[in-house]
């Protein structure tokens, strides 16, 4: 059978694209997913179903690809990515915030004129049902979309978060009621997509709308080996995929192939299929179909460093309750980049996983000790790359995040860490804090000491992106045009975080959902 569309990856973007394209009953869509599929909420594994309420770790789950990456010469880190319908939206931290308008306006200024903020607002709104503003959504909130989001009201904040709010406000940071409103900064409640503690993924929100359709076929437990091309014409045309399910290898044809395997999986599949830097492909004996030097390059993410304070015995540190309820955005002193710093505040944080070795940034909730602050860096100047280890689809690629390579990244981080440490002298903080666990005083003595600590302990905000970026044809590193079409080929698009030209100043999941909606509409319009 030949399908009109084959979507590779049922994750944040792929589930949306498949759902929107299958709205036309005369269109056949095949959705391939390497992980399992769970048809209803009740059947979801605990670590996938629940966010803060889960007693099981998603880090060691079969529904996590469990990649590893070089962060710095001193740190190897875990890179969780979803291996289940819903993709990383099914295992993530449920933080549901948009980038700032300038992020998207920059994309447009760089030659992608369909992507300025004004054009994208309807697609952001289309994604969500924002229950905080459901009765009065205004211009910048949705009230009928498939993904449910909310903010914890102040009367539900935990003690530690109330203390954090006092310390940040008294240090001069404004209150931010809604981080998804344009032009905002400061400290305020995080928008979260976890109603009643359930992680509201695209598997629930989008495939819940579409999985019953006769023209949509969802095939879980299928790993794509490569995209197939017909190179007999003037340009190679994608005609199908070669895939594996269990012990069976098979080929399936499609009128258009849509690659939505994520910012790690998509460039890997492209390179295995002969689309990528020709010199690198030849190292692994892969015939070049399209010489595309940008595939796997320009890797962006948000570095993240955790800070921890032990609190006094009377402070409530009950695990498996809402804990990360507040967020801070601010501009680093001396930086020309608005809101280039972000801090996730936590009322009940634990020792970071595998302290002294592999760093993940996750908290071990069985060892909660006190208040946590996770300092993130937006628009990091240090960029990484993805390279193949071999031509075998089963071999994970080599991931080099190259964090903190640029001095300006290190400077902004040093200043941010010292600023947050100074908050411990605030009366409300001092009243509940017993001691600072890390960084230690010795780590703060000199810039050199702090750099050493940061390079050892830096992790990731889990926002890998930009590894197959969109841009005009004049950009030699652009892999796709602004409609997601792969340069040099017909019948092939990429629709996921990899096509972002630059990472946004926010957690990226909402932006990826918007990308799915936006390009699905382009496809329907014949663009």
């Amino acid at each position: 059978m030949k399908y009109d569309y084959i979507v590779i990856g049922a994750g944040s973007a792929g589930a949306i694209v498949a759902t929107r394209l299958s709205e036309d009953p005369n269109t056949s869509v095949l959705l391939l997913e390497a992980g399992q599929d769970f048809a209803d909420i009740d059947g979801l594994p605990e670590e996938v179903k629940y966010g803060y309420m889960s007693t099981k770790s998603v880090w060691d789950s079969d529904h996590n690809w469990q990649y590893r990456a070089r962060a710095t010469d001193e740190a190897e880190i875990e890179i969780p990515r979803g291996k289940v319908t819903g993709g990383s939206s099914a295992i993530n931290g449920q933080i549901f915030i948009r980038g700032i308008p300038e992020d998207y306006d920059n994309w447009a200024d760089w030659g992608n004129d369909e992507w300025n903020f004004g054009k994208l607002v309807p697609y952001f709104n289309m994604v969500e049902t924002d229950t905080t503003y459901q009765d009065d959504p205004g211009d910048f909130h949705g009230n009928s979309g498939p993904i449910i989001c909310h903010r914890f009201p102040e009367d539900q904040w935990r003690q530690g978060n109330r203390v954090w709010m006092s310390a940040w406000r008294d240090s001069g940071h404004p209150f931010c009621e809604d981080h998804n409103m344009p032009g905002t900064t400061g400290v305020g409640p995080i928008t979260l997509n976890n109603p009643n503690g359930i992680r509201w993924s695209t598997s629930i929100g989008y495939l819940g709308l579409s999985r019953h359709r006769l023209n949509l076929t969802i095939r879980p437990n299928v790993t794509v080996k490569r995209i197939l091309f017909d190179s007999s014409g003037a340009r190679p045309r994608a005609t199908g995929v070669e895939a594996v399910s269990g012990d069976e290898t098979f080929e399936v044809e499609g009128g258009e192939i849509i690659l939505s395997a994520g910012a790690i999986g998509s460039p890997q599949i492209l390179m295995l299929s002969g689309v990528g830097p020709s010199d690198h492909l030849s190292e692994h004996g892969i015939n070049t179909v399209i010489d595309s030097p940008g595939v796997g390059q320009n890797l962006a993410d948000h570095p993240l460093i955790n800070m921890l304070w032990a609190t006094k015995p009377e402070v409530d540190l009950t695990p498996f309750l809402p804990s990360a309820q507040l967020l801070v955005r601010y501009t680093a002193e001396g930086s020309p980049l608005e809101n280039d710093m972000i801090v996730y505040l936590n009322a009940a944080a634990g020792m970071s996983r595998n302290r002294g070795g592999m760093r993940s940034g996750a908290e071990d909730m069985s060892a909660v000790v006190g208040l946590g602050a996770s300092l993130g860096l937006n628009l990091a100047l240090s960029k990484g790359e993805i390279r193949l280890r071999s031509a075998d689809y089963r071999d994970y690629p080599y991931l080099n995040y190259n964090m903190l390579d640029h001095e300006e990244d290190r400077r902004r981080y040093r200043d941010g860490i010292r600023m947050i440490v100074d908050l411990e002298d605030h009366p409300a903080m001092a009243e509940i804090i017993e001691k600072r666990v890390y960084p230690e005083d010795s780590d703060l003595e000199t810039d050199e000491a702090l750099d050493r600590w940061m390079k050892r302990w830096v992790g990731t905000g889990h926002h890998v992106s930009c590894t197959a970026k969109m841009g005009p044809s004049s950009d030699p590193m652009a892999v796709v045009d602004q409609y997601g079409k792969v340069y040099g080929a017909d019948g092939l698009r990429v629709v996921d975080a990899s096509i972002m030209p630059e990472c946004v100043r926010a957690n990226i999941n909402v932006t990826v959902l918007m990308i799915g909606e936006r390009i699905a509409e382009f496809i329907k319009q014949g663009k």
Side-chain angles (χ1 to χ4, degrees):
M1 177 178 178
K2 181 177 179 179
Y3 293 85
D4 293 318
Y5 298 98
I6 299 175
V7 182
I8 303 170
S12 298
I16 292 177
V17 172
T19 294
R20 294 307 186 197
L21 295 181
S22 63
E23 288 175 341
D24 179 356
N26 296 314
T27 297
S28 60
V29 181
L30 173 63
L31 179 59
L32 302 177
E33 168 56 43
Q36 292 180 261
D37 179 38
F38 300 93
D40 55 65
I41 293 177
D42 291 340
L44 287 169
E46 180 184 329
E47 71 272 24
V48 173
K49 179 177 180 179
Y50 294 114
Y52 57 81
M53 291 172 58
S54 177
T55 61
K56 294 183 177 180
S57 170
V58 77
W59 294 90
D60 306 317
S61 170
D62 290 339
H63 309 299
N64 174 5
W65 282 96
Q66 300 184 43
Y67 294 109
R68 295 185 178 186
R70 174 193 174 272
T72 68
D73 286 340
E74 293 80 15
E76 187 182 30
I77 56 177
E78 291 174 282
I79 306 296
R81 295 285 89 193
K83 189 179 182 181
V84 63
T85 47
S88 293
S89 77
I91 69 166
N92 68 5
Q94 310 113 74
I95 296 175
F96 205 76
I97 58 173
R98 305 173 183 179
I100 70 173
E102 185 184 14
D103 290 326
Y104 311 103
D105 290 341
N106 284 341
W107 293 4
D109 290 344
W110 296 334
N112 308 289
D113 59 9
E114 296 277 17
W115 294 85
N116 68 63
F117 181 69
K119 290 183 178 180
L120 301 183
V121 169
Y123 297 91
F124 279 118
N125 292 349
M126 188 184 300
V127 164
E128 68 182 27
T129 292
D130 190 330
T131 59
T132 305
Y133 297 100
Q134 189 158 13
D135 294 335
D136 185 18
D139 294 332
F140 297 104
H141 303 97
N143 63 356
S144 59
I147 305 297
I148 301 171
C149 63
H150 69 107
R151 298 151 195 78
F152 285 102
E154 186 173 356
D155 61 5
Q156 294 180 22
W157 295 352
R158 299 186 65 171
Q159 178 186 6
N161 286 324
R162 295 175 186 276
V163 168
W164 274 127
M165 175 61 76
S166 296
W168 281 94
R169 293 287 284 115
D170 290 347
S171 67
H173 293 264
F175 176 71
C176 179
E177 175 186 313
D178 176 19
H179 285 286
N180 280 342
M181 280 291 289
T184 57
T185 192
V187 57
I190 306 177
T191 313
L192 299 158
N193 58 308
N194 56 7
N196 301 315
I198 295 174
R199 183 186 283 105
W200 212 260
S201 69
T202 57
S203 179
I204 296 173
Y206 279 87
L207 295 183
L209 299 174
S210 60
R211 63 171 61 253
H212 66 282
R213 296 173 185 161
L214 297 179
N215 61 326
L216 173 61
T217 302
I218 301 174
R219 282 287 306 271
N221 304 307
V222 173
T223 302
V224 170
K225 295 177 67 174
R226 63 189 178 107
I227 297 164
L228 303 174
F229 291 93
D230 178 358
S231 298
S232 62
R235 285 160 53 96
R237 179 174 188 86
T239 58
V241 301
E242 181 183 5
V244 177
S245 180
D247 296 328
E248 177 192 6
T249 298
F250 62 94
E251 296 180 1
V252 60
E253 290 184 89
E256 183 167 354
I257 312 303
I258 300 167
L259 184 53
S260 297
I264 296 174
S266 286
Q268 181 187 20
I269 292 172
L270 285 173
M271 288 189 282
L272 291 172
S273 307
V275 181
S278 60
D279 56 346
H280 179 53
L281 300 184
S282 65
E283 292 174 11
H284 300 291
I286 299 171
N287 292 326
T288 298
V289 177
I290 301 166
D291 182 11
S292 183
V295 175
Q297 299 301 300
N298 194 46
L299 187 156
D301 202 326
H302 296 136
L304 197 72
I305 289 183
N306 295 322
M307 308 171 67
L308 184 65
W309 291 261
T311 49
K312 295 177 180 177
E314 63 271 19
V315 177
D316 178 19
L317 297 178
T318 304
F320 315 120
L321 292 176
S323 183
Q325 298 171 306
L326 299 179
L327 175 73
V328 185
R329 277 167 157 165
Y330 73 92
T331 302
E333 185 175 352
S335 174
L337 303 170
E338 178 188 356
N339 279 346
D340 59 342
M341 308 301 292
I342 192 165
V343 191
Y344 308 93
L345 302 174
N346 200 314
M351 300 289 289
S352 295
R353 287 165 54 95
N354 300 321
R355 182 167 164 79
M358 181 74 69
R359 290 284 291 116
S360 69
E363 305 296 343
D364 180 356
M365 295 307 291
S366 66
V368 173
V369 298
L371 298 186
S374 297
L375 176 63
L377 177 66
N378 291 326
L379 298 183
L381 300 175
S382 307
K383 302 297 184 184
E385 66 174 355
I386 294 174
R387 307 276 284 181
L388 295 178
R389 294 185 188 273
S390 78
D392 190 330
Y393 73 98
R394 293 166 295 189
D395 287 344
Y396 283 5
Y398 171 67
L399 309 178
N400 179 10
Y401 277 51
N402 196 38
M403 290 177 173
L404 305 182
D405 184 61
H406 198 288
E407 168 56 26
E408 178 63 3
D409 291 349
R410 297 192 296 272
R411 182 196 71 81
R412 289 184 286 170
Y413 245 132
R414 288 193 300 264
D415 290 352
I417 289 169
R418 287 178 170 136
M419 179 187 69
I420 296 172
V421 166
D422 287 344
L423 295 179
E424 67 191 26
D425 295 328
H426 184 276
M429 295 280 285
E431 186 176 340
I432 69 168
I433 289 173
E434 199 166 70
K435 66 174 182 177
R436 181 173 7 99
V437 180
Y438 51 81
E440 299 177 5
D441 287 345
S442 59
D443 299 318
L444 300 165
E445 286 180 351
T446 65
D447 287 354
E448 293 74 19
L450 189 48
D451 280 353
R452 286 193 298 270
W453 182 80
M454 293 189 308
K455 287 182 178 181
R456 185 184 178 195
W457 293 112
V458 67
T460 167
H462 314 301
H463 306 146
V464 59
S465 52
C466 309
T467 50
K469 74 170 186 173
M470 65 176 167
S473 59
S474 58
D475 181 352
M477 297 301 287
V479 177
V480 303
D481 68 12
Q482 64 176 332
Y483 305 107
K485 294 180 178 179
V486 173
Y487 282 117
D490 293 325
L492 177 61
R493 296 185 203 241
V494 182
V495 187
D496 56 33
S498 64
I499 72 169
M500 294 163 57
E502 175 61 274
C503 199
V504 297
R505 279 163 270 194
N507 298 63
I508 68 171
N509 196 237
V510 178
T511 296
V512 176
L513 305 186
M514 177 275 294
I515 288 171
E517 288 279 17
R518 184 73 167 139
I519 297 188
E521 185 68 17
F522 288 151
I523 295 170
K524 288 182 172 184
Q525 294 171 351
K527 293 184 177 179

